[in-house]
Amino acid sequence: MNRKASILTTFTLSIAWVAMPGCVVWDINDGILASNDNLGRIEDELNAIDEGLGTTNENLGTVEARLTSMDQQLKSLQTQLDATNKHLESLRKTINNIDQTIPFLSISGDDEEEQEALEHESESPTKPAEPTRE
């Protein structure tokens, strides 16, 4: 019986040895198939993100064009406001000159300190004076 047991043991071990690598190979194969499925899903998600980023880039281009247009309009408006400010400053000086020439009219509504400040501004052209808060 010793020989039969030895043959049976050898046969069992042979079957186990043949079956084991097959199991490992099938497990590896299943793992690779699962990985491929996951990679396909990840690729689909990345493509969707890429499309979304393309749309976002287009939208940002539109926003940039609008901002550039608004910037140009604001620069034009600033130029017009600066010109208006110079005209109003000139008009105020003229009115103050009339007030100084004919003191009883008091057209400007400025007190003496404001008139003096305006006269000193005309002597040294610098930044326009800030409006006073009362």
Side-chain angles (χ1 to χ4, degrees):
M1 266 212 173
N2 204 2
R3 188 171 177 186
K4 284 186 179 183
S6 175
I7 292 175
L8 184 59
T9 304
T10 305
F11 181 71
T12 305
L13 287 175
S14 298
I15 290 176
W17 181 75
V18 170
M20 277 180 74
C23 289
V24 172
V25 169
W26 284 114
D27 287 344
I28 292 171
N29 187 40
D30 291 343
I32 290 172
L33 291 175
S35 295
N36 283 341
D37 290 342
N38 286 337
L39 287 176
R41 185 177 41 82
I42 290 170
E43 183 180 10
D44 292 342
E45 290 176 10
L46 289 175
N47 287 336
I49 290 171
D50 190 39
E51 289 176 19
L53 288 174
T55 302
T56 301
N57 281 341
E58 291 173 8
N59 291 340
L60 286 175
T62 303
V63 169
E64 183 180 10
R66 288 180 182 170
L67 287 175
T68 302
S69 172
M70 289 176 71
D71 188 44
Q72 291 172 349
Q73 292 172 355
L74 287 173
K75 285 179 183 177
S76 172
L77 182 61
Q78 184 62 47
T79 302
Q80 294 171 3
L81 288 173
D82 289 342
T84 302
N85 191 30
K86 286 181 183 178
H87 288 298
L88 291 175
E89 185 178 308
S90 174
L91 179 61
R92 184 171 182 192
K93 287 179 183 177
T94 302
I95 290 173
N96 280 335
N97 286 338
I98 292 171
D99 278 352
Q100 288 175 353
T101 307
I102 311 171
F104 61 87
L105 285 179
S106 186
I107 298 172
S108 69
D110 293 338
D111 60 15
E112 291 179 14
E113 291 176 6
E114 289 175 335
Q115 286 181 354
E116 287 179 22
L118 188 62
E119 289 173 12
H120 291 300
E121 268 183 33
S122 63
E123 292 172 4
S124 60
T126 57
K127 206 159 100 175
E130 296 291 323
T132 57
R133 295 183 184 176
E134 297 179 13

